[in-house]
Structures are given as structure tokens and as C-alpha cells.
Amino acid sequence: MAFRFVEFPSAGDELRSEVLAGLAASPKSIPPKYFYDEAGCRLFEAICVQPEYALTRTEQALMASKLPEIAAAIGAIDGIVEPGAGDCSKVRALVDALHPGHLIVLDIATNTLAEAAEALAGDHPGLDVTALAMDFVRGLESAAPYLPPGRRLVFYPGSSIGNFPPAEARQLLERFRRLAGEQGQLLIGFDLKKDPILLHDAYNDAAGVTAAFNLNLLQRLNGELEADFDLERFRHYAFYNPTAGRIEMHLISLAEQTVSVAGQCFNFALGEALHTENSYKFRCDEFSAIAVGAGWRVKGEWDMAGFALQLYA
Ligand code: AVJ
């Protein structure tokens, strides 16, 4: 089994500085990448099996039904690179179809990544697996020394790209071009614009898992930044903003209150919002305009039930 794990330093300092900056800003916000502590990763996996949240199931069904076609369109490759791989569940089917020699997985959730990548390596004796624990939005370029030579496919499924506003999405796709290199390709999944009530329900599941996922961010800050958020005094609030083309998730203060975080005090007015996530939805042509703006050329497109995969070279 060929497996190596590299942890990049300073994730802790960045949590502290980004959270303090976000709480000091107006309106208040915290980047969604901080949802994924261990409890957050488990809650996200639970969201993915909620009846209202079709995104992950649809992507899996699309991958399963079109895999031979997608694999043929990709052709022979030497390595797959997956930023934000999380529990590495999505890349398995692709590894089995494409048989690359190398797999490089990156994620900010250190333990989830390390365990999943090692298990994947154990299941694929011929595959060389490298797990890089890092905030790839910041440190993507430091993955360069770990990349295999030859033809690389960057795999970015799950509509994670939806967390970035269009201008930032374009920049990230430009960086993915450099990551993929000469003759590189990109297979990317994104959620499509659809009936807004369906979108609304996907982020307001009846079992309250998305609410728990959103509130867990405060729990995490209580544990890791010595904060004293009272989770009873914040409400999960998610809605589709059709003008911006995105789901917005907020935590709304149910009272006027003062919260201490890492020794600093922050006031929340009654009804004040802490913005925790944007999840952009696209039409296929809208998305390809962003990717083409980043220098990619469309090579293939597959869609099913409100979700799309596009292949770029
Ligand atoms: C992992 C960013 C694709 O936006 O749908 C799910 C995260 N947030 N429910 C999404 C999420 C609330 C998810 N992404």
C-alpha cells in the first residue's frame, strides 16, 4: 500500500483570525469551510441522506449511469487531484473507472481526510495515494511538489464551487488550471437553478439536520476559540435569493446579546444575522461562461434532475 499523509501547519491560527475578522465586520460572517470539524463532517454526511437534499444522491446517480461515457471522454490519465475530498467517497468510482497511478486528495478536515484516504489506499494496492491536510483555498499552490508528472485530472464534485461568488469561482478555476498542468482536465459538479421551493427545502430539512450543521459552527467556536455562544439564542435561517442565484444560510440572533470569542466581545442586536454560507446555483451556460473565463474549454456535459457535471480541458 502506497500512502503518505502531509499536514500543512497553521490551520488553527487562521480559524482564529478569520473568525474574529468576520465577527468584527458588518454584516457579520464566517467562511463556510469552518463548518467541517469532526461533528460538522458527520452532520454533513447526514445532510447528504436527507430526503430533501437530492444533490449528493443525484450526483452519485449521474456518475454511476454515465461513468463509461465520462471515462471515455477523459481518456488515459496519470493522476487525479481532488481538492476538498472530505471522506473520499466520491472519487472511488472514478479511480475504479480510470485506473490512475496517483491520487492526491486535499482537505481542511484533517482527521476525516487521513482516515478516508488511508482506507482508500488499502482498497487499491496499485494506487499511490497522497493526502494533503490543508486549507486549499489558501494553500493550493503548496500542493505542487506532491503532484505526479503527466496528465492530471482535477476532480471537484459536490457543487463545492457553489460556495464561491462568481468572481472568486473564476479565480479558483484558474488556479485549478495550474494544478492540472499541461494537458490537464477538470471534472466539476454543480447544482442547477431549479424550482426555488425545492432549493429552499433542501436547506430546511424536516429532521433539522441542516439547522444542526449550521449551529454546530457556534459549538465549534465554543470548543476551539473559548467562545460562549448560547445555541438556544440563535436560529438557523436559510433561503433562496433568486436575484443573486444562491442559497444563503444565516444564524439569526434571537435576542440582544454579547458573545465572547477568543477574549474579544461581540454584540448581536435582536434579529442580527451572522452569514455562514452562500451556495450558488447555476445554469449550464452560466457556469461554462465562468470556466471559459478562467481559460478552460468545455469537453463534455452531463446532467440529471437538476444537477450537472462538466468536463473541461
Ligand atoms: C458542500 C457546499 C455543496 O452548499 O449544498 C449543505 C454544503 N450546506 N447543506 C451545499 C451544505 C448546507 C453544500 N456544499
Side-chain angles (χ1 to χ4, degrees), residues 36 44 47 53 55 158-160 163 203 210 213 249 277 279 281:
Y36 302 95
F44 179 65
I47 287 173
Y53 194 81
L55 195 160
S159 202
S160 301
N163 274 165
Y203 295 81
T210 308
F213 173 73
M249 292 218 308
E277 184 169 46
S279 187
K281 309 300 171 181

Side-chain angles (χ1 to χ4, degrees), residues 29-247:
S29 68
I30 295 180
K33 64 189 174 194
Y34 293 124
F35 280 133
Y36 302 95
D37 67 346
E38 280 182 50
C41 288
R42 280 199 302 276
L43 286 164
F44 179 65
E45 286 168 29
I47 287 173
C48 293
V49 297
Q50 293 310 300
E52 298 93 338
Y53 194 81
L55 195 160
T56 311
R57 272 190 305 282
T58 308
E59 183 177 51
Q60 279 164 0
L62 181 60
M63 284 277 280
S65 67
K66 301 291 184 188
L67 198 55
E69 223 180 275
I70 295 171
I74 295 168
I77 54 160
D78 301 292
I80 298 177
V81 188
E82 186 183 3
D87 66 3
C88 300
S89 57
K90 295 173 178 135
V91 77
R92 282 179 173 261
L94 210 52
V95 165
D96 293 334
L98 296 171
H99 306 292
H102 304 267
L103 172 67
I104 298 88
V105 284
L106 296 76
D107 208 281
I108 194 168
T110 306
N111 295 339
T112 300
L113 180 75
E115 282 167 29
E118 185 162 16
L120 198 147
D123 296 342
H124 297 83
L127 181 67
D128 184 61
V129 178
T130 302
L132 306 178
M134 64 152 82
D135 174 357
F136 75 81
V137 179
R138 286 179 172 251
L140 192 63
E141 287 64 29
S142 41
Y146 302 93
L147 300 175
R151 289 170 57 101
R152 296 190 290 269
L153 172 75
V154 173
F155 181 46
Y156 199 51
S159 202
S160 301
I161 193 69
N163 274 165
F164 302 92
E168 282 177 41
R170 202 198 71 158
Q171 280 175 19
L172 188 58
L173 296 183
E174 282 171 4
R175 294 167 77 200
F176 285 176
R177 274 202 87 209
R178 293 193 287 274
L179 188 69
E182 291 283 309
Q183 296 191 301
Q185 298 182 74
L186 168 69
L187 180 64
I188 188 161
F190 54 92
D191 205 16
L192 293 168
K193 287 195 165 117
K194 55 177 75 72
D195 179 343
I197 302 300
L198 289 176
L199 289 171
H200 181 274
D201 291 351
Y203 295 81
N204 290 279
D205 61 280
V209 183
T210 308
F213 173 73
N214 200 5
L215 284 160
N216 177 65
L217 182 58
L218 303 183
Q219 187 71 58
R220 175 181 190 178
L221 303 185
N222 286 351
E224 291 184 36
L225 293 182
E226 289 173 70
D228 61 357
F229 285 99
D230 177 353
L231 274 60
E232 309 265 273
R233 298 214 281 176
F234 286 89
R235 169 86 71 211
H236 163 71
Y237 185 61
F239 61 93
Y240 183 62
N241 175 340
T243 314
R246 68 191 189 202
I247 288 281

